Amino acid sequence: ANLSANAGSTYAYTTGGKLFSRTIECVSEGKQIARAAGFQVNEVLYDDNPENGATIFGEHISREASFTFRCETAYGIYSYATSSQYNDTAFEVYRDIIQYDPSQI
């Protein structure tokens, strides 16, 4: 997962899974996972060829934490990361978000 270079984050937790859908479905699922865990989606960047993948960026609504979700459609995987300057916060929002991860999209 790509974390924003200007986020200034120190701690990050990441995971991923198998991707069986197209980029558009993956992005939709990534947005849904983010929102369910309390993140606001700030930006979605598609690859030059959108069929190959996209990245979703977001920030937590009430905590100092960021979220990045990557649809790597060309390789059949997705990944995501939560990050924060505070280890406890990074882990807590990570724990919140994995409960919405279907492990396959």
Side-chain angles (χ1 to χ4, degrees):
N2 298 322
L3 296 175
S4 177
N6 63 1
S9 299
T10 305
Y11 300 96
Y13 291 87
T14 185
T15 195
K18 294 249 183 200
L19 179 61
F20 296 103
S21 62
R22 296 178 309 147
T23 302
I24 193 75
E25 288 90 6
C26 179
V27 167
S28 178
E29 186 74 23
K31 287 178 174 181
Q32 184 177 7
I33 291 168
R35 290 181 183 133
F39 286 88
Q40 175 182 334
V41 174
N42 296 335
E43 186 173 18
V44 177
L45 295 176
Y46 288 89
D47 292 1
D48 289 340
N49 180 351
E51 292 179 13
N52 289 340
T55 305
I56 301 166
F57 299 96
E59 293 180 23
H60 200 275
I61 294 169
S62 63
R63 310 211 49 192
E64 292 182 36
S66 61
F67 173 75
T68 304
F69 190 98
R70 176 71 187 158
C71 300
E72 194 65 57
T73 314
Y75 295 103
I77 59 171
Y78 70 94
S79 60
Y80 58 86
T82 60
S83 63
S84 176
Q85 292 180 344
Y86 309 101
N87 187 38
D88 289 346
T89 302
F91 181 72
E92 288 168 8
V93 296
Y94 172 76
R95 191 180 56 212
D96 291 345
I97 208 158
I98 60 171
Q99 69 181 328
Y100 300 105
D101 181 353
S103 78
Q104 295 183 23
I105 297 176

